[in-house]
Amino acid sequence: MLTVPPGAYPLKGFAYLCSHPNLNARVGGFLAGASALCMTGILALAFFTFRSQLNFVGHSLVGVGVAGKVVTCCLILAEASVIVYLVFKQTMQILQRKLFTMVLHDQGVFAVRPLTDTERSGLREYMQTPKAQHAAEQEHGSTISGIAKRAAQTVAMTAMTSAPASIIPLLPVLISLTAGDKATVPFMSHYLRMRGLQSYAEQQAVADTHKLAYTQFGVMAAFLTSAPIASWAFVFSNTVGAALWAADLEKRDVQLFTDQTTSEV
């Protein structure tokens, strides 16, 4: 079977979503509600806060001329996007899981493989490496470095998997160059949980083991979500792309871990 580069799956997801009415109808309803709320938020913020924000930007940064007005408009767009994201975050995650499952079923995958003994052995071997132990200590630790690491990971994943980041052009792409593998985990999380990897540490171990493949997907997904206005739609098409990737992994019987934990997907 001819394999598809992981970086191509976000593009495949977009094409697949556009060509399947049963999927884009679900996404369209969500986008209509989110867009309506976002537009309401933009108008409200512009009416009630534009002058005060312009004065703040003008006195603190670039003046009240054209540059100041452009910066203020960008701030208002970002604020409205963040409000919409916080309001619809849970609904969006539920819809993403439903889309993921629907695509798997469309691809003929109704039940995924449980972890094999080899995969479990490879996972245990990887989790005992100094790198994995150090990451686990930082993830769960209460030290300043641990808290900072968790905060940085949260910012990176949020920026690359949600629409508000597109207010700053290409910000998701810049982040993906150093954290693309981590930002792919939320898109593949549903599949990894189905395989039996419930904790974030175990799911991150997959991303570390297949770092190149996960980074390729993450960079392309970030590039798409950096598109202004259309970024909300690309969040869902990236989810569809991840489901197509997961379906191909199942059809090819690709192992997530080996005893050497060096394989690539």
Side-chain angles (χ1 to χ4, degrees):
M1 180 183 294
L2 183 64
T3 60
V4 177
Y9 280 102
L11 296 174
K12 286 191 64 178
F14 176 73
Y16 193 93
L17 182 61
C18 291
S19 61
H20 286 71
N22 61 320
L23 298 181
N24 58 48
R26 286 177 172 266
V27 174
F30 174 88
L31 292 178
S35 298
L37 180 59
C38 187
M39 183 59 65
T40 301
I42 291 173
L43 294 176
L45 288 169
F47 183 80
F48 291 107
T49 71
F50 181 84
R51 181 61 59 183
S52 59
Q53 292 199 58
L54 177 60
N55 290 336
F56 172 78
V57 169
H59 291 116
S60 304
L61 300 173
V62 295
V64 295
V66 175
K69 292 177 181 177
V70 170
V71 172
T72 302
C73 289
C74 289
L75 285 175
I76 289 175
L77 290 174
E79 292 160 3
S81 296
V82 170
I83 292 172
V84 173
Y85 176 72
L86 293 176
V87 170
F88 286 103
K89 179 180 179 181
Q90 187 173 5
T91 303
M92 182 167 65
Q93 291 174 342
I94 293 173
L95 179 55
Q96 285 179 287
R97 288 194 294 269
K98 289 181 178 179
L99 284 176
F100 199 103
T101 301
M102 291 175 65
V103 173
L104 285 181
H105 291 174
D106 286 347
Q107 294 297 301
V109 178
F110 295 93
V112 302
R113 299 162 294 140
L115 290 179
T116 64
D117 292 339
T118 300
E119 288 176 310
R120 293 185 184 280
S121 176
L123 173 61
R124 287 193 298 269
E125 179 182 336
Y126 179 83
M127 296 304 290
Q128 292 172 359
T129 62
K131 178 181 178 180
Q133 292 178 350
H134 179 67
E137 290 174 357
Q138 287 193 320
E139 180 183 350
H140 299 292
S142 58
T143 62
I144 294 177
S145 61
I147 295 173
K149 182 178 179 64
R150 291 195 298 274
Q153 289 175 344
T154 300
V155 170
M157 288 188 292
T158 300
M160 289 179 55
T161 60
S162 61
S166 66
I167 297 300
I168 303 176
L170 298 182
L171 173 62
V173 177
L174 295 177
I175 295 176
S176 72
L177 297 177
T178 58
D181 57 323
K182 293 180 175 60
T184 300
V185 172
F187 289 114
M188 295 294 286
S189 180
H190 186 50
Y191 169 66
L192 297 177
R193 285 196 301 270
M194 295 170 70
R195 291 294 312 275
L197 301 172
Q198 302 299 325
S199 71
Y200 175 78
E202 292 175 335
Q203 294 178 13
Q204 183 57 50
V206 178
D208 289 340
T209 302
H210 305 287
K211 190 175 184 66
L212 178 60
Y214 270 57
T215 299
Q216 289 176 10
F217 183 98
V219 170
M220 180 55 69
F223 178 77
L224 294 177
T225 54
S226 67
I229 302 177
S231 55
W232 289 99
F234 282 122
V235 169
F236 292 108
S237 67
N238 288 338
T239 300
V240 173
L244 293 173
W245 186 16
D248 284 350
L249 294 178
E250 286 298 294
K251 293 175 182 177
R252 291 159 47 202
D253 291 329
V254 174
Q255 292 193 340
L256 298 178
F257 299 96
T258 65
D259 289 336
Q260 294 77 30
T261 64
T262 57
S263 66
E264 277 293 338
V265 296

